Amino acid sequence: DTGVSQDPRHKITKRGQNVTFRCDPISEHNRLYWYRQTLGQGPEFLTYFQNEAQLEKSRLLSDRFSAERPKGSFSTLEIQRTEQGDSAMYLCASSLETSGDYNEQFFGPGTRLTVL
Amino acid sequence: AQTVTQSQPEMSVQEAETVTLSCTYDTSESDYYLFWYKQPPSRQMILVIRQEAYKQQNATENRFSVNFQKAAKSFSLKISDSQLGDAAMYFCAYRSAFGGGSNYKLTFGKGTLLTVNP
C-alpha cells in the first residue's frame, strides 16, 4: 500500500509527558500537512511543509508543539508537557504540489492521543 | 477567515434511497475549491467529490453529486441509491484557489454522521 501512514495509531500518555508522532507521506508528495481533530469537530489545520521547509503554522500550534520534516520525507510532530486538552486525533495529509490545478490532499489514518 | 457550517449533525437514510447533506460556507474570495470528504469509522478520510468555484456545472461522481449555489454560498451533497458502505462521517471542506501562505489548508465543517438503515 502506498498511501499515507501514521505511527502509532493510538497513544495513551500521562499529563506532562512528551509524545512524538510520525507520518510517512506518499513517496513523491512534496507537501505535508498536520491537522488536529477533536471529538465532534472537523479537522483543524496545524501546520504544513513544502519539502523540508515548514511554511505555515496555525495559532493552534502552541510552543509545546514542534514539527519537523527532515530531508523532505517523513515528518514528526512532538508535543511536550502534554495536557488533557491535547487529547485528539492527529491527522497527517500529503499532496503533490504542481502549478495551476488544485492538489488533492490524501489523509493518513491518524494517531489518536489520549492524555490522562 | 473562511468558515464552513454543516447544520445537520446526524442524518439517516434507508438503503437504496437518496439523501442530501447540507453545507454552507462564508468567504470573501472569488475563486476557491469545495470538497466533500468521507471518514468511515476508524478509517482514513477519503475525498468523495470536489467542485471548483469558477465552474458553474455541478460535479458528479457516480452516485454522488453536488448542488453548488455560489451566490447563496451553499454546497450540498446528494447520495443516490444509498449503500450500507456509505455510512460514515461526511465533512464539507473549503480551500482557497490562491496559492501562498496557509491558503493550501483545508477548512472543515463539523461533519454530518450518516447512518444507512438496511
Side-chain angles (χ1 to χ4, degrees):
Chain A
D1 189 286
T2 57
V4 178
S5 62
Q6 293 186 246
D7 183 70
R9 295 290 306 275
H10 303 273
K11 178 70 176 179
I12 300 174
T13 191
K14 293 182 179 179
R15 188 177 54 186
Q17 297 295 305
N18 299 344
V19 294
T20 300
F21 311 140
R22 177 181 171 122
C23 170
D24 286 89
I26 293 172
S27 60
E28 67 269 23
H29 284 186
N30 53 2
R31 279 184 175 258
L32 186 147
Y33 310 79
W34 285 99
Y35 293 85
R36 182 172 69 187
Q37 184 178 14
T38 53
L39 202 60
Q41 303 292 323
E44 296 172 291
F45 170 78
L46 292 179
T47 187
Y48 85 87
F49 293 82
Q50 173 137 348
N51 300 313
E52 67 275 9
Q54 187 174 18
L55 296 185
E56 189 74 16
K57 294 198 298 185
S58 161
R59 289 172 297 171
L60 293 175
L61 216 64
S62 75
D63 291 344
R64 298 184 296 105
F65 288 71
S66 63
E68 294 182 341
R69 193 184 182 197
K71 303 178 183 178
S73 55
F74 70 92
S75 175
T76 58
L77 178 67
E78 180 183 17
I79 309 174
Q80 297 182 327
R81 305 180 303 282
T82 52
E83 301 173 356
Q84 288 185 326
D86 297 331
S87 296
M89 176 77 86
Y90 290 83
L91 297 171
C92 177
S94 70
S95 68
L96 177 63
E97 169 69 8
T98 57
S99 60
D101 202 4
Y102 96 108
N103 307 295
E104 180 179 348
Q105 293 184 26
F106 293 83
F107 283 82
T111 293
R112 182 168 295 283
L113 173 66
T114 301
V115 181
L116 302 176
Chain B
Q2 295 81 26
T3 59
V4 176
T5 302
Q6 293 180 249
S7 59
Q8 305 155 316
E10 297 183 26
M11 291 282 285
S12 64
V13 63
Q14 292 295 125
E15 199 174 1
E17 297 293 306
T18 296
V19 64
T20 299
L21 308 184
S22 301
C23 172
T24 58
Y25 59 95
D26 189 28
T27 183
S28 58
E29 296 180 330
S30 58
D31 200 12
Y32 45 87
Y33 301 102
L34 295 166
F35 308 88
W36 280 98
Y37 277 87
K38 171 185 178 182
Q39 188 177 41
S42 301
R43 294 181 60 187
Q44 58 211 80
M45 193 143 47
I46 58 173
L47 180 64
V48 174
I49 196 165
R50 78 174 193 271
Q51 175 78 42
E52 291 145 15
Y54 66 88
K55 290 186 177 179
Q56 298 202 358
Q57 185 173 4
N58 290 325
T60 299
E61 289 286 343
N62 300 314
R63 298 183 295 107
F64 299 87
S65 62
V66 299
N67 183 2
F68 173 50
Q69 301 289 328
K70 191 173 183 180
K73 295 181 180 174
S74 170
F75 182 62
S76 61
L77 174 69
K78 186 171 81 171
I79 306 174
S80 304
D81 185 26
S82 297
Q83 299 175 0
L84 295 177
D86 294 333
M89 183 72 84
Y90 286 82
F91 292 99
C92 178
Y94 171 102
R95 208 211 84 182
S96 173
F98 301 101
S102 62
N103 284 346
Y104 292 108
K105 72 176 183 181
L106 293 169
T107 300
F108 289 87
K110 290 186 177 183
T112 296
L113 181 63
L114 178 66
T115 302
V116 181
N117 301 310

